[in-house]
């Protein structure tokens, strides 16, 4: 029987590239997304079933899992990929922005994991693969909500790995760096109205951010990391993806937290960091 992967957030980026790669490798793919019409090109692939799924809606999750099992009979891997970012001073983020971000990145992962675990327990096998970020191991200025969600996902995943190992189920974490799209431009921004106390630092951060992502990766190269990790039988939990992620993670470990944070503040904010 072919193996099956269920992917959230499959309409673009890492999710879409991973769906295409696994289907090309002979896997069955449940490519889920909030708006299935955006997956028409994926649906044309004989191995891919495009399914509606909103990770903030439990009924939608249950229906997507049931549809996947009805279509393919099993779920071997879940790639919890759906997500987005926010940028700006925490003070100006609305309650809705904060809670929706957490609902998507954390509680959505929890609800999907709970929905597939009965099947994986019966199979005595499976992989819960959570898409974090290099931002789940370090932080940048004015991305506090996004980092909060990713660091929470990291803790959830690592602890869950203990719980599920005796059941034959593995937990893995993907930590990609920048992908070849405008990072800040793609983020939901909350920078406040007009000039405010944070404006100089926000402007400096935005001006310097491009240099931090000059070694960005393609979604296709990250999908290759996912595929290799799924087939890795070692006890590895975290998989870095992209040269920038590898380099930044290495730097933090080599110089220590305090020196790394100080250096990053100088790089991103310059003299504003000390004012």
């Amino acid at each position: 029987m072919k193996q099956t992967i269920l992917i959230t957030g499959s309409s673009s980026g890492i999710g879409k590239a991973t769906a295409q790669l696994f289907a090309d490798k002979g896997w069955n793919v449940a490519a889920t997304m909030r708006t299935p019409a955006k997956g028409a090109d994926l649906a044309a692939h004989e191995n891919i079933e495009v399914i509606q799924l909103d990770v903030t809606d439990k009924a939608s999750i249950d229906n997507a899992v049931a549809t996947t099992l009805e279509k393919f009979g099993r779920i071997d891997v879940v790639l919890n990929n759906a997500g987005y970012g926010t940028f700006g001073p925490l003070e100006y983020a609305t309650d809705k922005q904060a809670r929706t971000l957490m609902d998507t990145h954390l509680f959505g992962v929890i609800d999907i994991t709970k929905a597939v675990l009965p099947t994986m327990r019966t199979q005595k096998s499976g992989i819960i693969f959570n898409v974090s970020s290099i931002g789940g191991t370090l932080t940048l200025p004015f991305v506090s909500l996004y980092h909060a969600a990713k660091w929470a996902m990291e803790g959830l995943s690592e602890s869950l790995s203990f719980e599920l190992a005796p059941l034959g189920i593995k937990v893995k974490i993907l930590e990609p760096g920048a992908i070849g799209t405008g990072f800040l431009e793609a983020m939901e921004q909350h920078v406040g109205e007009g000039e405010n106390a944070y404006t100089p630092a926000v402007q400096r951060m935005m001006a310097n951010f491009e240099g931090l992502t000059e070694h960005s990766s393609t979604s296709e190269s990250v999908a290759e990391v996912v595929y290799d990790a799924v087939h890795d039988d070692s006890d590895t939990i975290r998989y870095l993806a992209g040269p920038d992620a590898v380099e930044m993670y290495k730097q933090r470990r080599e110089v220590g937290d305090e020196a790394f944070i100080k250096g990053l503040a100088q790089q991103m904010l310059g003299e504003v960091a000390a004012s």
Side-chain angles (χ1 to χ4, degrees), residues 37 51-52 182 261 268:
I51 302 171
Q52 196 280 332
I261 291 169
M268 292 290 97

Side-chain angles (χ1 to χ4, degrees), residues 16-17 59 104 132 136 237 262:
K16 183 174 184 178
T104 300
S132 178
I237 294 179
K262 184 177 180 179

Side-chain angles (χ1 to χ4, degrees), residues 235-264:
D235 292 328
T236 301
I237 294 179
R238 289 175 168 85
Y239 295 83
L240 293 165
D244 56 337
V246 172
E247 181 58 28
M248 292 181 75
Y249 185 77
K250 177 183 176 183
Q251 285 181 10
R252 181 162 190 162
R253 289 177 66 88
E254 287 181 346
V255 305
D257 288 351
E258 291 76 13
F260 181 84
I261 291 169
K262 184 177 180 179
L264 196 59

Side-chain angles (χ1 to χ4, degrees), residues 7 12 22 40 42 53 60 79 107-109 139 169 185 187 191 200 223 246:
I7 305 171
S12 62
F22 273 73
L42 291 177
L53 190 155
S60 172
L79 185 69
F107 292 107
V109 170
T139 65
I169 303 168
E185 292 83 352
M187 283 188 153
V191 295
V246 172

Side-chain angles (χ1 to χ4, degrees), residues 4-19:
T4 299
I5 182 171
L6 185 155
I7 305 171
T8 67
S10 296
S11 62
S12 62
I14 295 172
K16 183 174 184 178
T18 303

Side-chain angles (χ1 to χ4, degrees), residues 91-147:
E91 183 176 347
Y92 294 119
T94 66
D95 286 350
K96 182 179 180 181
Q97 285 174 318
R99 294 181 189 282
T100 301
L101 187 80
M102 290 298 178
D103 283 343
T104 300
H105 286 270
L106 181 60
F107 292 107
V109 170
I110 291 172
D111 290 338
I112 289 172
T113 300
K114 291 172 68 175
V116 301
L117 280 179
T119 295
M120 290 186 173
R121 282 193 293 102
T122 299
Q123 295 171 176
K124 295 183 173 57
S125 67
I127 298 174
I128 306 294
F129 209 149
N130 296 329
V131 179
S132 178
S133 165
I134 189 60
T137 69
L138 52 86
T139 65
L140 296 173
F142 302 114
V143 195
S144 54
L145 285 178
Y146 179 79
H147 289 307

